[in-house]
Amino acid sequence: MEFKDYYDILGVSPDADKPAIKKAYRRLARKYHPDVSSEHEAEKHFKEIAEAYEVIGDDQKRAEYDQLRKYGRKGEAFSPPPGWQGQAGGFTGGNGDFSEFFESIFGRGFGGQQRGGFAGGEDMYSTRGQDVELELPVFLEDTLKSESRTIEYNLPHYGETGRLADIKKTLKVKLPKGAVDGERIRLKGQGAPGFGKGTAGDLYLRIRLVPHPLFDVNGQDLSITLPIAPWEAALGAKVTVPTLDGKISLNIAPQSQTGQKLRVKGRGLPGKTEAGDLFVILKVVMPDKITAEMEKLWGQLAAGSGFDPRANMKS
C-alpha cells in the first residue's frame, strides 16, 4: 500500500491553517469536478482531493495523520506501525470513494456498541450481533438523485471457533429525501451477525455531505458567491449562475453592491416537504488587467462622478 501525502495532494504546507486548506481544496475541486472538468482522469483526482480534505480539514483526523506522516513518504510502501489503531473514525470507503490507505489509518468506522446480551430462552451462548456505524460520503449532486447506491462494508464476527473475522457485505441504499449532514439512518438487521441463535445487529449510516467547490450549505439552503464586473454592478446585467441541476439566468439590478444577496427559491437541497433556496451573494471584482483605454475611461468616470465612497467616514 502506497503512502499518501495529503498536504502534497492539496498543495499546502504541513503548517497551513484551516482557511488556507479550505481555499486550496475549493480551487482544486473546482478544477477537477467531474461535472465541469475536461482534465484527464478528473473524477479520480477529485476523489483524491476530497479524501485529502476530509483528513487535514478535520482537526482530529489531521492530528492522527500528522503522527503517522513521519513513518511514510510519498510514493513509498506504507503500513501503520505495530499497535496503531486510529480513533478519529471516518469514511469507510463505502462506495469506493475513499482509499485503502485512508481505511488503514482510521479503521472501518465500527462506532456502534453491542446492545445484545443474551438472546433469550435457555441458550446462554446466543448473543445479539454488534451494531455497526459507518459514515456515508454524499456529494451534493447525489441528493437530487432518486436511484439507490451500492455500498460495501466489513462486519466483525466471532465464528463458532471463537475467532474474529470480517465478513464483506454489499447493500443497496437509497438516500432518504431531505437527508442533511450528520443525519443518522438506521437499517435494521444489516449489522454484524448474531452468535448462536442471536439476531443480527443494526447498521447506522451517518450522512456526511462532502464539501462542494462552489456551494456552502446551511440546512437545506445553499449559497454561492457570484463574481460580477463593476459595470454589471453599476448598469445591471443578465448573468448565468450554476446550480446543482444546471445553469439559470439571473437579473442583476443596477447599482448592486458587494455582499448583496439574491434569493432563488427552490434551488437548494431537497427537503422532507419542500426544497431549500439558493442564495446568490454578489462580489464586485476588477479585471485582472486594465488597458490604456480602460484606464482613460476610469479616469473620466472618477473626474466627473463626484462620488466619494468614504463620505460617511469624515468627522
Side-chain angles (χ1 to χ4, degrees):
M1 177 178 59
E2 183 179 310
F3 179 82
K4 287 180 177 287
D5 191 325
Y6 290 133
Y7 292 105
D8 187 69
I9 290 171
L10 290 186
V12 297
S13 64
D15 59 354
D17 58 17
K18 293 189 76 169
I21 291 170
K22 184 175 182 179
K23 181 179 180 180
Y25 164 74
R26 288 198 160 188
R27 175 177 57 80
L28 291 172
R30 186 178 292 113
K31 179 179 179 180
Y32 290 108
H33 196 289
D35 289 346
V36 298
S37 179
S38 58
E39 298 285 341
H40 179 61
E41 295 187 324
E43 184 175 359
K44 175 184 175 182
H45 288 302
F46 184 77
K47 289 179 179 180
E48 192 172 47
I49 292 161
E51 178 177 315
Y53 183 70
E54 171 63 20
V55 175
I56 64 174
D58 178 275
D59 290 339
Q60 190 175 355
K61 290 188 181 75
R62 183 180 183 181
E64 290 192 20
Y65 174 72
D66 286 345
Q67 288 293 316
L68 280 179
R69 191 167 176 265
K70 58 188 177 184
Y71 293 101
R73 294 182 180 179
K74 179 184 176 183
E76 294 183 354
F78 173 81
S79 60
W84 172 264
Q85 183 175 2
Q87 299 299 318
F91 296 157
T92 62
N95 65 347
D97 287 334
F98 291 84
S99 69
E100 180 187 0
F101 174 77
F102 182 101
E103 187 173 287
S104 74
I105 299 177
F106 300 111
R108 296 191 175 100
F110 296 124
Q113 296 182 354
Q114 182 169 328
R115 296 185 301 180
F118 299 125
E122 297 180 358
D123 185 356
M124 299 297 289
Y125 297 101
S126 293
T127 57
R128 183 182 181 278
Q130 185 179 9
D131 290 342
V132 174
E133 182 166 339
L134 308 177
E135 284 190 345
L136 182 66
V138 176
F139 294 111
L140 296 188
E141 289 82 359
D142 292 340
T143 64
L144 304 181
K145 300 175 182 177
S146 58
E147 63 267 21
S148 299
R149 60 186 294 182
T150 300
I151 65 170
E152 292 183 354
Y153 57 103
N154 292 319
L155 295 171
H157 176 58
Y158 286 96
E160 294 182 0
T161 62
R163 290 188 176 183
L164 179 64
D166 283 347
I167 301 172
K168 177 175 278 191
K169 188 164 185 176
T170 301
L171 191 66
K172 282 191 173 294
V173 176
K174 187 174 183 179
L175 195 67
K177 183 179 180 182
V180 296
D181 188 58
E183 183 170 343
R184 198 165 177 250
I185 303 167
R186 178 192 179 199
L187 300 177
K188 187 176 181 181
Q190 298 299 334
F195 186 78
K197 296 181 181 179
T199 58
D202 298 331
L203 172 64
Y204 291 88
L205 294 178
R206 190 174 295 277
I207 302 297
R208 177 63 64 87
L209 296 180
V210 177
H212 196 279
L214 296 178
F215 302 103
D216 286 320
V217 181
N218 182 17
Q220 248 73 46
D221 293 334
L222 297 176
S223 62
I224 184 173
T225 298
L226 181 71
I228 58 173
W231 46 89
E232 291 176 324
L235 304 175
K238 190 171 187 177
V239 299
T240 299
V241 180
T243 72
L244 285 181
D245 59 348
K247 297 179 179 180
I248 60 172
S249 293
L250 189 66
N251 289 320
I252 306 298
Q255 300 182 20
S256 292
Q257 301 284 347
T258 288
Q260 187 174 336
K261 287 186 178 181
L262 305 179
R263 177 188 177 197
V264 184
K265 187 174 177 58
R267 287 288 188 160
L269 297 177
K272 309 238 182 244
T273 55
E274 61 180 0
D277 300 327
L278 171 64
F279 290 90
V280 180
I281 304 171
L282 302 183
K283 181 181 179 181
V284 180
V285 297
M286 289 291 294
D288 292 333
K289 296 181 180 179
I290 297 180
T291 64
E293 180 64 22
M294 292 172 66
E295 187 174 352
K296 178 181 177 181
L297 292 173
W298 282 117
Q300 292 174 356
L301 179 62
S305 69
F307 173 60
D308 184 356
R310 294 168 294 282
N312 293 333
M313 299 178 66
K314 295 179 180 178
S315 57

